[in-house]
Amino acid sequence: MAGKTDLRRFPGFLAVTTLCLFVLYAPLIVVAVYSFNASTSITNWGGMSLMWYVDVFTGPEAPKFQKAALNSMIIAVCASVIATIVATLAAVAMTRAGRLRGKIFSFALINLPLMVPEVVTAVASLVFFSAIGFTTGLTTILIAHTVFCIPFAYLPISARMQSIPDMYEQAAMDLYASPREAFRLVLLPLMTPGILSGFLLAFIISLDDFLITNFVKGAGVETLPTAIFGSVKQGIKPNIMAISTLMLVVSVAFVSLSWLVGRMGQDKKKNN
Amino acid sequence: MASPEIAVSVDQVVKRYGNVTALNGVSLDIRENEFFTLLGPSGCGKTTLLRAIAGFEDVTEGHIRLKGQDLVDQPPFKRPVNTVFQQYALFPHMSVTENVLFGLLRKSWSRQDAERRAQDVLELVQLSDFADRKPGQLSGGQQQRVALARALAPRPEVLLLDEPLSALDLKLRQAVRMELKAIQRETGIAFIFVTHDQEEALTMSDRIAVMSAGHVQQVGTPKEIYETPVNRFVADFIGETNLLDVQVLSVTGGLAQVLMPGNRNFKCPAAAVVNAGPGHLSVRPERISVCAEAAGDLSATVIDHTYLGTDIQLHVKLVDGEAMSVRLQNAETTLMPETGVVVGLSLEAGAARLLAD
Ligand SMILES: Nc1ncnc2c1ncn2[C@@H]1O[C@H](COP(=O)(O)OP(=O)(O)OP(=O)(O)O)[C@@H](O)[C@H]1O
Ligand SMILES: [Mg+2]
């Protein structure tokens, strides 16, 4: 087709692509494969076994990981729910408030956390919490997670919101719905796919986070990623690979779900 | 004070967007139980006026009254006025019935009454069989009727329709016109209908307001608008017309004496504001007949003709070079003048009209 460049014509394109994909995925594949290793070695294949998965749930480190997993879950659920609510309200305000003063500024403010190096946010959060004399622990993790999840929840919600013409709310108000009813009965149901998609994305981002968590968590409180890191520092055992593989599966499942939900909304719109 | 039979009274309404003036002092009285059309070219302010009546736009100046009561400070959800949107704006996540019920339930009808009413209006628009479908599963024409049913259901004082037929194909559009008119008669609700299609306006309306550039040019019945346009814009916009440059010799009592191109005298009705001097004579092509050269009010050379089925359009040129078109009925008895022949054109006495600019 005219105007479209065939990428395959660039010399070395295939080689570079293959190399990138290899560097990205080979370690993941190795981890996943070796999690089924029947030996304590992390380099020698000793046959197929589920022993490390059993070890994760019943072995000596099991209580520690279970507690960490529970913490991760509580934080991910709370942070993503709060972040989704905030992001939904922000998206409505940004797309419906007309020429809101400082709209560009607000947009930048919401999305800035995506651009700021995470370690900077982590240090800043820690400094902030100690400055106001907040004891670090589960609450500080929750606050920090909520804040950095907002932009991730905001992106799919605002994308969805922008594709909903304001004629639906006008039609609702024309039919005697107060602005509040128009929001609840018409706008919110239409936004649902975006909201779900934003929620799932925020959830997985929170579940995966290591850096900020590690800074603000305080002594004794662990989430799954920090627990894994702590364990790895004392030497890598195959049970870590089993946990990592489990987390990978959960992550992939959530991201796929988020994408599917977003897609579903779009297909529905096309039919109208 | 508005008299009781006025449904909506638009009083000196001005609407500005920054330095764009969308409505420039519009005054209109829409009567109860009438099919009233706002007609005008794109950008003349039709949608803006409709949205101002519905409450989606604040007016910069002026008043809008519904049955004598000022609406200006009422939000849209408190105005007993419903709209059929151009894109229908049916709620995609609700079934046809739920869409129709929406307004009724917001107006605190009981569930039972609301459901009965929804059934009745769906029957009125012949959509009872589609009650459980989602809007996405309906054709354009069916969606248009759902939009109509939804807006009619809460028995508004006035129904506003913004080019509701423009998304339909030609055949369907013509069928729906008559249906819409019948529904208006049956419900007895005043309709304010926006269109830029003059044929649509002429066939459906009780009265038409012709708008241009934020002004109302003329309000009248289709016959008045077509046969006695008040100015060049209206004559030109409604239907096809020939506008001839003539010299006005005198005007007395609405009757003018003019000098035609080719220096023949002609007497015709004149619009109120015409004075002696140069003027424009509007002559509808179908009100002209061909005769012997000496007997005509004008003499013209035949240039060409176009076959239109029911009619034949004759293109002629006057002595001063002006082009005109004449419509002759396509009957066996019609004599078709040959190209190049000089003929006389005789204008029906009441059919030509002298207009100001
Ligand atoms: N929100 C707005 N901001 C600025 N100008 C506007 C706005 N809405 C309408 N206008 C202007 O007001 C004028 C009238 O617009 P309006 O939509 O009423 O026209 P219309 O008669 O409905 O035209 P059409 O037949 O194309 O729908 C136009 O010049 C338009 O550009
Ligand atoms: Mg319009």
Side-chain angles (χ1 to χ4, degrees):
Chain A
M1 262 199 295
K4 271 200 181 161
T5 315
D6 187 353
L7 282 173
R8 280 170 299 191
R9 276 198 332 224
F10 289 116
F13 177 76
L14 188 65
V16 172
T17 309
T18 315
L19 184 69
C20 286
L21 289 176
F22 180 79
V23 172
L24 263 175
Y25 289 105
L28 289 178
I29 293 167
V30 168
V31 164
V33 168
Y34 272 84
S35 69
F36 296 101
N37 197 353
S39 117
T40 41
S41 163
I42 58 162
T43 47
N44 297 325
W45 184 248
M48 182 78 187
S49 156
L50 286 176
M51 62 185 277
W52 295 114
Y53 286 90
V54 176
D55 183 79
V56 166
F57 291 100
T58 58
E61 287 188 303
K64 183 176 111 189
F65 284 132
Q66 270 164 21
K67 184 134 192 297
L70 187 66
N71 282 344
S72 273
M73 211 45 141
I74 292 170
I75 289 164
V77 169
C78 296
S80 53
V81 166
I82 300 170
T84 304
I85 293 170
V86 174
T88 303
L89 297 178
V92 172
M94 294 285 286
T95 39
R96 285 297 186 268
R99 258 170 299 163
L100 184 70
R101 285 219 295 159
K103 193 161 159 180
I104 294 175
F105 180 70
S106 318
F107 181 79
L109 209 61
I110 293 170
N111 288 296
L112 202 61
L114 294 176
M115 268 88 70
V116 174
E118 201 183 341
V119 68
V120 176
T121 313
V123 171
S125 304
L126 181 61
V127 169
F128 172 72
F129 286 132
S130 48
I132 62 169
F134 221 78
T135 30
T136 48
L138 218 51
T139 324
T140 49
I141 303 178
L142 178 59
I143 294 171
H145 277 220
T146 304
V147 172
F148 74 68
C149 280
I150 289 173
F152 290 97
Y154 178 77
L155 288 178
I157 296 174
S158 104
R160 173 74 190 166
M161 183 73 201
Q162 270 157 15
S163 74
I164 303 172
D166 58 8
M167 65 174 180
Y168 292 120
E169 292 139 272
Q170 287 184 359
M173 286 199 240
D174 189 62
L175 293 162
Y176 315 105
S178 65
R180 195 178 289 244
E181 285 173 317
F183 177 74
R184 185 167 54 86
L185 297 169
V186 174
L187 192 56
L188 208 54
L190 293 178
M191 286 176 74
T192 303
I195 293 175
L196 271 180
S197 180
F199 167 77
L200 293 172
L201 202 59
F203 182 85
I204 205 66
I205 293 289
S206 165
L207 201 65
D208 278 353
D209 182 74
F210 169 75
L211 197 57
I212 293 176
T213 315
N214 202 36
F215 272 73
V216 300
K217 74 184 172 60
V221 184
E222 302 286 353
T223 63
L224 210 45
T226 63
I228 291 173
F229 183 70
S231 183
V232 165
K233 274 198 293 197
Q234 291 143 26
I236 302 180
K237 278 187 293 157
N239 66 340
I240 296 302
M241 296 190 178
I243 292 191
S244 303
T245 307
L246 287 174
M247 280 190 77
L248 183 67
V249 170
V250 171
S251 289
V252 169
F254 268 84
V255 172
S256 314
L257 202 60
S258 161
W259 181 79
L260 276 177
V261 168
R263 260 271 305 253
M264 208 171 64
Q266 268 169 21
D267 286 351
K268 229 195 254 163
K269 226 188 75 215
K270 230 177 278 163
N271 288 334
N272 290 319
Chain B
M1 257 303 69
S3 62
E5 76 268 26
I6 302 297
V8 178
S9 143
V10 177
D11 185 8
Q12 288 298 321
V13 166
V14 174
K15 173 68 189 179
R16 289 191 201 94
Y17 297 102
N19 51 13
V20 179
T21 306
L23 298 174
N24 199 350
V26 170
S27 293
L28 287 171
D29 281 335
I30 292 115
R31 297 173 193 152
E32 265 174 39
N33 202 356
E34 89 173 324
F35 198 117
F36 191 91
T37 298
L38 299 173
L39 175 65
S42 189
C44 71
K46 308 179 296 288
T47 297
T48 306
L49 180 56
L50 214 61
R51 289 174 59 82
I53 296 173
F56 297 125
E57 304 285 351
D58 297 328
V59 299
T60 313
E61 286 168 30
H63 294 276
I64 296 172
R65 296 189 193 87
L66 188 81
K67 304 234 160 126
Q69 199 194 350
D70 203 323
L71 282 183
V72 161
D73 292 325
Q74 301 256 38
F77 54 92
K78 293 207 176 129
R79 299 187 184 198
V81 165
N82 289 145
T83 307
V84 177
F85 290 84
Q86 185 167 8
Q87 306 297 327
Y88 312 143
L90 299 174
F91 305 130
H93 58 295
M94 297 181 195
S95 71
V96 167
T97 305
E98 287 168 329
N99 264 281
V100 176
L101 284 174
F102 190 91
L104 298 170
L105 297 178
R106 301 286 88 63
K107 262 185 110 180
S108 324
W109 284 46
S110 77
R111 186 91 206 171
Q112 206 181 5
D113 290 350
E115 271 166 11
R116 194 168 318 127
R117 175 70 181 153
Q119 267 174 17
D120 288 349
V121 287
L122 284 178
E123 208 161 297
L124 183 70
V125 299
Q126 296 164 25
L127 275 181
S128 305
D129 295 343
F130 299 88
D132 297 326
R133 295 231 196 144
K134 290 276 170 68
Q137 301 165 319
L138 298 176
S139 73
Q142 290 162 344
Q143 290 182 22
Q144 190 268 332
R145 283 186 281 166
V146 178
L148 183 64
R150 183 177 72 171
L152 280 173
R155 301 187 204 279
E157 302 281 356
V158 180
L159 192 74
L160 308 175
L161 305 100
D162 192 357
E163 309 205 22
L165 310 185
S166 65
L168 306 180
D169 63 51
L170 185 69
K171 201 82 182 219
L172 193 55
R173 201 152 68 213
Q174 286 169 343
V176 173
R177 274 182 202 165
M178 290 302 109
E179 222 177 280
L180 203 56
K181 174 84 191 168
I183 286 172
Q184 189 271 325
R185 286 232 183 84
E186 205 169 321
T187 54
I189 293 172
F191 278 28
I192 305 181
F193 181 90
V194 162
T195 182
H196 58 247
D197 181 335
Q198 41 112 355
E199 194 186 320
E200 215 165 86
L202 291 174
T203 52
M204 298 169 80
S205 319
D206 293 321
R207 287 193 309 150
I208 300 172
V210 182
M211 294 178 66
S212 104
H215 290 278
V216 173
Q217 301 289 341
Q218 184 172 3
V219 181
T221 62
K223 190 174 155 75
E224 285 165 354
I225 299 273
Y226 187 78
E227 294 186 1
T228 55
V230 295
N231 58 28
R232 263 183 82 165
F233 176 83
V234 177
D236 209 20
F237 191 73
I238 310 289
E240 215 186 325
T241 197
N242 294 295
L243 283 168
L244 304 179
D245 292 325
V246 296
Q247 278 296 323
V248 183
L249 303 173
S250 65
V251 187
T252 37
L255 221 62
Q257 191 75 39
V258 302
L259 199 60
M260 298 288 247
N263 288 332
R264 291 182 204 184
N265 274 321
F266 186 65
K267 218 185 238 177
C268 65
V273 288
V274 178
N275 295 315
H280 304 281
L281 191 69
S282 161
V283 194
R284 299 287 181 193
E286 72 276 13
R287 295 298 191 86
I288 304 173
S289 52
V290 177
C291 57
E293 205 244 311
D297 302 305
L298 288 161
S299 69
T301 313
V302 178
I303 304 293
D304 199 2
H305 65 264
T306 314
Y307 184 78
L308 298 172
T310 53
D311 289 332
I312 290 168
Q313 188 164 15
L314 207 59
H315 304 276
V316 302
K317 202 153 97 181
L318 303 184
V319 281
D320 63 352
E322 260 187 284
M324 268 182 81
S325 87
V326 177
R327 269 195 191 221
L328 303 175
Q329 248 190 9
N330 186 9
E332 261 181 86
T333 51
T334 309
L335 283 176
M336 192 51 55
E338 298 287 322
T339 302
V341 171
V342 177
V343 296
L345 300 178
S346 120
L347 316 182
E348 279 174 42
R353 195 170 162 78
L354 194 62
L355 303 172
D357 266 316

